[in-house]
Amino acid sequence: VALLGADRLSTRAELDKLALYAQGNDGQNDSHKVTVEDVRAVIADASALALDDVLDFAATGDAEAALIALNKAYAAGTQPAAILNAAIRHVTQLHRLKLAIDAGDSPARVVEYARPPVFFRRRPYFERALNRYGSELLAREIVALSDASLAARKDAALAQAITERAILRLAKSGKPATRRA
């Protein structure tokens, strides 16, 4: 829904395209439901979904999946500056949530009542990320991502490499990652 935008004609066109795609998938999708994967394959602004994957995988310590998602984000036209800015916002939100946990709240409750709200499919990633990092480490990661953002703006030729290094740093910091379910 967040990818649809305010233009009703554009929204209708995207929904028609999605319905046509899903109708052609009847043999593959026995439940006759449109899945997130269907949306990723069809909706024009799939870059936002790829960006969420980059951040979620990096914050939970899955460096390999984060790099795959990063390449998908680049393929969708996402610029390094947008990725780094989103990473800064993401880690800042994790830091705010971690401070609430440090004050005595539970990770599940903090994520459930977060502002801005955390999309339900992303909640497990947030909870895993909050278990990996302390508030001091998250504060250091915000500074490191900000430094990477500045370096990428100063040297556009190296912006993708700088962004990749920053995403890998985030994935490698914190406690060892727990296995994905």
Side-chain angles (χ1 to χ4, degrees), residues 110-123:
V110 165
V111 171
E112 182 178 348
Y113 294 104
R115 293 291 171 246
V118 176
F119 185 58
F120 77 95
R121 291 181 65 87
R122 296 184 70 200
R123 286 181 185 174

Side-chain angles (χ1 to χ4, degrees), residues 18-37:
L18 182 60
L20 186 61
Y21 178 84
Q23 184 179 15
N25 270 349
D26 280 345
Q28 296 174 345
N29 188 353
D30 294 331
S31 65
H32 299 290
K33 292 182 181 178
V34 175
T35 65
V36 172
E37 287 73 30

Side-chain angles (χ1 to χ4, degrees), residues 5-181:
D7 181 6
R8 286 193 319 161
L9 287 176
S10 175
T11 296
R12 274 191 179 162
E14 292 298 319
L15 290 174
D16 287 343
K17 187 168 52 168
L18 182 60
L20 186 61
Y21 178 84
Q23 184 179 15
N25 270 349
D26 280 345
Q28 296 174 345
N29 188 353
D30 294 331
S31 65
H32 299 290
K33 292 182 181 178
V34 175
T35 65
V36 172
E37 287 73 30
D38 294 333
V39 173
R40 287 175 196 253
V42 177
I43 298 296
D45 190 8
S47 61
L49 293 172
L51 193 52
D52 288 347
D53 286 347
V54 171
L55 303 174
D56 290 340
F57 291 136
T60 56
D62 192 340
E64 185 178 331
L67 287 180
I68 291 168
L70 182 62
N71 287 325
K72 287 180 182 178
Y74 286 143
T78 309
Q79 296 298 311
I83 294 166
L84 289 169
N85 289 337
I88 292 167
R89 285 191 307 273
H90 183 70
V91 175
T92 299
Q93 184 175 24
L94 288 172
H95 184 251
R96 245 187 342 264
L97 298 176
K98 189 63 177 183
L99 290 173
I101 292 168
D102 291 349
D105 225 337
S106 73
R109 180 174 162 72
V110 165
V111 171
E112 182 178 348
Y113 294 104
R115 293 291 171 246
V118 176
F119 185 58
F120 77 95
R121 291 181 65 87
R122 296 184 70 200
R123 286 181 185 174
Y125 293 103
F126 270 74
E127 289 178 24
R128 269 187 282 178
L130 290 167
N131 287 326
R132 289 189 67 231
Y133 298 99
S135 54
E136 289 180 17
L137 180 55
L138 285 167
R140 285 194 302 269
E141 288 301 323
I142 293 167
V143 171
L145 287 165
S146 298
D147 290 345
S149 179
L150 179 61
R153 282 195 306 265
K154 285 183 176 179
D155 193 347
L158 293 176
Q160 284 191 352
I162 292 167
T163 301
E164 182 176 315
R165 186 176 66 191
I167 294 299
L168 283 174
R169 175 193 160 96
L170 179 62
K172 297 293 183 182
S173 66
K175 295 178 190 170
T178 55
R179 266 331 249 188
R180 277 194 292 177

